Amino acid sequence: MLSINDALHQVLEQAKKIREKREAIANTVSIDNALGLTLACDQISTIDVPPADNSAMDGYAINTRTLGDNPTKMIVSQTVAAGHAPQALSDATAARIFTGAEIPANADAVVMQEQCEVQGDHVVVPANIPVQNNIRKQGQDIKTGDCILKQGHRLRPQDIGLLASIGIAKVSVYQPLTVAILSTGDELVEPGNTLSSGKIFNSNRYLLKGFLQKLNFNVLDLGVVEDTLAATKASLKKAASSADCIISTGGVSVGDEDHVKNAVTELGSLDVWRIALKPGKPLAFGAIDNTPFFGLPGNPVSTFVTFLLFVKPFLSLQQGQNNHKPKAMQMKVNFSNKANPKRQEYIRVKFNNGELELFPNQSSGVLSSVVQADGLGVIPIGQAIKPGDTIEYISFDEFYR
């Protein structure tokens, strides 16, 4: 069986080649419409943030040189609110100032109002106030010329806010990929219909569609394909002419004489791998008219895991994104697991009181396990696990970045 790393390497090498051809394709969009899209170029700040020294507190702006060893009484010479330009601070006076307001020239500290005593139009300021006290310096957050977001970054709500904070209204982004999905199998019934003997509801179609929409890809949903070679070839041709990638579920495993495998082979090229992975051993990868094709296992958890481990990083890299690899952390477990001598296992686990807890049913047909679990625990080939051991853990949230 092929190792997970070797299979992923082959998949990502193909994605890199496709990405190089796509990187010239970009659109300019308003930041109002940029959420979830991928930046086509670095974003450089043309301003300092904050643009001028400003107050971190409601209080009084002073010049510390006028303070003595005891509390000092000063006249309040002006009031400075955020958004209003201050006058230079007169000697031996204080300026009433509010959070975010620009520091007046000649002031070098802000004393929070709780430390001061107001006496009519005067204020008593304590001694020993340090220079730059409660002042946020110009450019403290961002300096002119700083790269705030890099090419290949997928925009999140906080990124949109950051762009707005430096006055960027439009960004250059890559056009979202269009991904075609299709289901095969006479046993599949769409939700809302009545099940007859031998039939199952088509969950993989909705699982994949949800993944792709969550990741901001366009979906070309070809539904359930009639179980004939002619119909399968027709659907795949349509997908190849309209989509940037094609994903099917079911029917592409080693030794199967199914229509998907035959259709892809006739229309393009196909590699079918037996991967040292549990769940999800059979995985097909190929191309139809230069459009990449994935054939995922039919069991829903196998579909789920192989999408996360192979398809998602492939699509992210093809889209031009930099962060296509999920971050893993080391976590302790509170369960035992026998060694698997042939396959690396991705087990569904729950995070409980700082430790990982095993979901009781690890069958590849139990879709509820990926709903009730928090992520995947990774157990290397041949490694037995006992309570207190540490394993690699990948939160499901990591796959949605």
Side-chain angles (χ1 to χ4, degrees):
M1 287 186 288
L2 195 66
S3 74
I4 293 172
N5 287 339
D6 286 345
L8 185 59
H9 175 75
Q10 291 187 40
V11 165
L12 294 183
E13 283 301 305
Q14 289 299 314
K16 289 177 184 176
K17 294 176 183 178
I18 298 169
R19 173 177 176 166
E20 291 171 1
K21 297 177 182 178
R22 280 183 49 83
E23 285 196 335
I25 305 173
N27 298 320
T28 299
V29 300
S30 164
I31 59 173
D32 285 335
N33 302 313
L35 184 64
L37 301 181
T38 302
L39 288 173
C41 60
D42 293 348
Q43 300 300 302
I44 308 299
S45 179
T46 59
I47 65 168
D48 291 336
V49 179
D53 291 359
N54 70 74
S55 179
M57 296 283 178
D58 290 346
Y60 294 86
I62 62 167
N63 189 309
T64 57
R65 293 191 302 272
T66 64
L67 298 179
D69 294 331
N70 296 305
T72 303
K73 186 175 182 179
M74 302 178 181
I75 191 169
V76 179
S77 58
Q78 62 178 301
T79 297
V80 186
H84 296 271
Q87 298 174 354
L89 186 67
S90 301
D91 291 341
T93 71
R96 179 72 167 114
I97 196 166
F98 298 97
T99 302
E102 185 176 335
I103 301 296
N106 201 37
D108 63 6
V110 173
V111 188
M112 60 188 302
Q113 60 189 17
E114 291 83 357
Q115 293 180 282
C116 301
E117 180 185 347
V118 178
Q119 296 180 356
D121 57 359
H122 288 71
V123 63
V124 179
V125 179
N128 302 316
I129 299 299
V131 174
Q132 299 302 313
N133 188 60
N134 293 323
I135 290 180
R136 295 187 291 218
K137 296 294 293 178
Q138 178 178 344
Q140 174 182 297
D141 183 12
I142 298 169
K143 291 183 171 57
T144 300
D146 282 354
C147 177
I148 62 162
L149 295 170
K150 288 188 172 295
Q151 176 187 12
H153 181 79
R154 183 168 177 256
L155 292 168
R156 305 164 297 173
Q158 58 265 47
D159 302 321
I160 302 296
L162 184 62
L163 291 168
S165 77
I166 62 171
I168 293 177
K170 296 181 178 180
V171 288
S172 179
V173 295
Y174 295 126
Q175 182 176 337
L177 297 174
T178 296
V179 183
I181 59 173
L182 59 97
S183 303
T184 64
D186 287 338
E187 75 279 10
L188 298 177
V189 175
E190 291 301 301
N193 295 309
T194 301
L195 284 181
S196 57
S197 178
K199 304 291 186 179
I200 60 171
F201 286 120
N202 184 2
S203 60
N204 285 340
R205 176 187 176 192
Y206 298 90
L207 175 64
L208 290 176
K209 192 170 184 179
F211 266 137
L212 296 169
Q213 290 174 336
K214 178 75 173 178
L215 296 169
N216 212 59
F217 298 124
N218 299 319
V219 180
L220 176 60
D221 186 354
L222 300 179
V224 179
V225 178
E226 183 184 348
D227 208 6
T228 66
L229 180 59
T232 304
K233 288 176 66 175
S235 292
L236 290 173
K237 283 182 179 180
K238 177 181 178 181
S241 66
S242 306
D244 300 293
C245 185
I246 307 166
I247 307 172
S248 73
T249 58
V252 187
S253 60
V254 175
D256 285 346
E257 293 296 331
D258 65 274
H259 298 304
V260 173
K261 182 189 296 182
N262 294 334
V264 175
T265 302
E266 289 186 23
L267 296 172
S269 61
L270 184 67
D271 293 319
V272 180
W273 299 320
R274 296 174 70 244
I275 301 175
L277 164 67
K278 182 180 179 181
K281 180 171 65 173
L283 177 70
F285 180 65
I288 302 170
D289 294 336
N290 296 317
T291 300
F293 168 85
F294 282 93
L296 305 186
N299 281 324
V301 177
S302 297
T303 296
F304 183 89
V305 171
T306 52
F307 181 92
L308 294 183
L309 297 183
F310 294 98
V311 183
K312 195 272 182 180
F314 177 90
L315 292 176
S316 296
L317 193 55
Q318 184 184 359
Q319 178 66 69
Q321 294 169 10
N322 296 327
N323 296 326
H324 59 275
K325 294 182 179 179
K327 294 179 181 178
M329 62 181 72
Q330 297 294 316
M331 298 289 296
K332 285 186 177 181
V333 304
N334 64 4
F335 58 85
S336 299
N337 197 73
K338 293 180 180 179
N340 188 322
K342 295 183 178 180
R343 293 194 281 171
Q344 180 163 297
E345 295 193 34
Y346 283 77
I347 56 175
R348 282 81 76 199
V349 292
K350 301 172 73 172
F351 188 73
N352 186 15
N353 293 324
E355 294 182 326
L356 298 180
E357 176 181 299
L358 185 69
F359 187 83
N361 191 333
Q362 292 289 315
S363 167
S364 60
V366 180
L367 194 55
S368 61
S369 65
V370 298
V371 174
Q372 297 180 37
D374 298 310
L376 298 173
V378 185
I379 303 181
I381 296 173
Q383 182 173 321
I385 299 297
K386 62 183 184 302
D389 286 349
T390 299
I391 66 171
E392 193 174 84
Y393 167 71
I394 309 173
S395 167
F396 287 147
D397 290 339
E398 276 298 306
F399 295 104
Y400 305 137
R401 292 185 298 113

